[in-house]
Amino acid sequence: MATTRITTALPPNIDITKAELAYGEHMLPKLNRQLQDSTLTTRQRALNALCDVLHNPEHVSAALKVGMAKSLKKLLSDSDGTVRWKATEVLFICSNHAIGRDAILEFDLIQPISALFDDKHEDARLMSHRAVESVSHTVNGAQGIVDANLIKKLVEKLKTETDEIKQLVLDTLHYCMKVDTDQALAAQAIEVFTSLLGHGTWEIRGKAARDIMDISFPLEGKKRAVKVKCLPVLVKLLADSMFHVRAQAAGALMSIAITTEGKQESIREGAVEALITLLKSDEATDVRLNVIKLSRCWQNTLLAETNLKKSFLSFKTLPTRAAHDAEGSKDCRQGYHLETVKSNNTEKQRLIHSVDLY
């Protein structure tokens, strides 16, 4: 005869690591109350649930209205490592939305988040860098990071952190140096960037070269780059196996070699020969475009300052590349046109007409 048996197992669709959600408009106020609960597991489950809920920007707005930013700010200094990690992850998810980035600035959350850069848990450190990097994408966010005096701390982290975090730090500094380069120069960032140009990971090499370009826009940055022997390494990177690295190295050389000292140092290291090789054989449009920009910044002064007329006449090969780039970018075609003017008047007229068609 059949009997009734009640199982002790939980239903298969119940996740015990996440808090049960209330219905409708009661969901976020309940989660906010659970964030303030004295029971550790309650706080952890509420944070796990928020990591799913706040992907919706409407929920981010509603969460801010119920005061969740203050609750999360308090949890950033919680004694439990998982709570700190998950609280930072919630803020990172919020920072992917404009209203979340504004809230991080409004509630002065950049400093509490940056305090986790030194956390003993790698997950908490990683998520804190992700949150700060996401905030830095806007001008106000980058300015907030600069105002919080975090540039020196970020530069120091490039010396000790894991490769994944180094990439995030390089991205954060890239956006911050668009706002202000003084703090980066004072923190000797260009020396650190130069040391990363020989890194085994191509993403880090490329981002370090890009950051050197950013920090070299002011005159002091150009002088410092020449002083710390950055140019020889950049010239070597023009032959890197990854086109992204070659493009960023050419961009950094373009930024530094505007000064006479930078031009002469680049030439001594064989930059002209390397650039001609790239224009003849490199298939990446980004690489050739940056090389053309570099040659354009040299064209008006370099021939008068140095004895390199024969080397630069080698750029007469550009019309061939211009024909090859007929399907390429407008910038590339214009660049080729500007360089061919010196060597072949017939080609000059043909390329001018081809540019005017676009």
Side-chain angles (χ1 to χ4, degrees):
M1 184 175 177
T3 59
T4 303
R5 179 177 297 176
I6 301 176
T7 178
T8 58
L10 292 173
N13 59 342
I14 298 295
D15 188 348
I16 60 172
T17 65
K18 298 177 183 177
E20 295 180 5
L21 301 179
Y23 180 74
E25 62 182 13
H26 300 288
M27 174 179 61
L28 291 168
K30 180 183 177 182
L31 287 173
N32 191 38
R33 290 194 301 271
Q34 291 175 334
L35 291 179
Q36 303 168 26
D37 197 280
S38 59
T39 306
L40 175 60
T41 54
T42 302
R43 298 198 300 274
Q44 291 175 342
R45 294 178 66 198
L47 287 167
N48 277 332
L50 279 172
C51 288
D52 292 336
V53 169
L54 293 183
H55 283 287
N56 187 333
E58 294 181 0
H59 290 162
V60 174
S61 176
L64 294 173
K65 289 179 181 178
V66 301
M68 198 166 286
K70 293 181 179 179
S71 301
L72 291 170
K73 186 176 183 179
K74 184 179 180 181
L75 292 179
L76 289 174
S77 57
D78 195 275
S79 59
D80 182 69
T82 301
V83 171
R84 295 194 302 272
W85 162 36
K86 284 298 179 179
T88 316
E89 183 175 353
V90 170
L91 289 170
F92 164 65
I93 294 170
C94 292
S95 70
N96 292 324
H97 308 289
I99 190 172
R101 289 190 291 268
D102 292 341
I104 288 175
L105 296 174
E106 180 183 350
F107 290 95
D108 297 323
L109 291 171
I110 291 180
Q111 282 286 9
I113 293 174
S114 66
L116 297 180
F117 289 172
D118 300 316
D119 198 278
K120 62 182 180 180
H121 296 281
E122 183 179 338
D123 290 330
R125 297 200 309 273
L126 175 63
M127 206 55 66
S128 64
H129 280 287
R130 283 183 176 175
V132 171
E133 189 271 339
S134 182
V135 171
S136 70
H137 287 198
T138 64
V139 175
N140 290 338
Q143 187 63 58
I145 295 170
V146 171
D147 292 342
N149 296 316
L150 293 180
I151 303 301
K152 183 177 181 180
K153 190 172 186 178
L154 288 169
V155 172
E156 290 298 320
K157 290 300 175 184
L158 288 174
K159 302 176 183 178
T160 58
E161 274 295 358
T162 63
D163 288 352
E164 186 175 5
I165 293 179
K166 283 179 181 177
Q167 293 183 46
L168 293 170
V169 173
L170 289 169
D171 287 337
T172 304
L173 291 171
H174 164 63
Y175 292 110
C176 290
M177 286 188 293
K178 291 182 177 180
V179 174
D180 182 271
T181 57
D182 292 341
Q183 287 190 30
L185 286 168
Q188 299 183 333
I190 198 163
E191 288 86 344
V192 180
F193 296 154
T194 303
S195 68
L196 293 176
L197 292 177
H199 198 277
T201 305
W202 71 265
E203 291 93 342
I204 292 179
R205 294 198 303 273
K207 290 179 179 182
R210 177 200 59 191
D211 285 8
I212 289 175
M213 177 174 62
D214 295 330
I215 202 173
S216 299
F217 278 115
L219 180 59
E220 179 60 30
K222 302 181 199 307
K223 292 180 179 178
R224 185 78 65 81
V226 175
K227 184 178 180 181
V228 302
K229 303 297 182 183
C230 178
L231 290 171
V233 190
L234 288 172
V235 172
K236 289 180 181 178
L237 287 184
L238 293 176
D240 195 273
S241 59
M242 297 301 298
F243 80 90
H244 175 77
V245 178
R246 298 195 299 272
Q248 298 298 347
L253 284 169
M254 173 188 66
S255 178
I256 298 169
I258 291 177
T259 63
T260 301
E261 188 181 10
K263 293 186 184 79
Q264 293 174 345
E265 181 69 19
S266 300
I267 293 161
R268 282 195 293 268
E269 297 298 331
V272 174
E273 294 79 3
L275 296 177
I276 293 172
T277 301
L278 288 177
L279 285 172
K280 287 180 178 178
S281 60
D282 204 299
E283 298 299 324
T285 303
D286 290 343
V287 177
R288 294 197 303 274
L289 178 57
N290 279 348
V291 169
I292 291 166
K293 288 179 180 178
L294 174 57
S295 62
R296 284 182 61 186
C297 83
W298 282 353
Q299 65 182 358
N300 294 327
T301 56
L302 187 58
L303 296 181
E305 294 169 357
T306 60
N307 187 22
L308 279 175
K309 292 184 179 180
K310 291 183 179 180
S311 295
F312 260 76
L313 287 178
S314 298
F315 280 103
K316 65 185 180 181
T317 56
L318 288 172
T320 342
R321 295 300 303 180
H324 180 272
D325 281 329
E327 301 299 324
S329 70
K330 179 180 177 182
D331 288 336
C332 271
R333 290 193 296 273
Q334 287 177 336
Y336 285 125
H337 149 67
L338 288 169
E339 290 303 320
T340 1
V341 170
K342 302 178 191 176
S343 58
N344 191 320
N345 291 330
T346 306
E347 287 293 338
K348 168 186 173 182
Q349 296 299 322
R350 182 180 68 79
L351 287 175
I352 285 176
H353 292 316
S354 69
V355 170
D356 289 342
L357 291 176
Y358 290 88

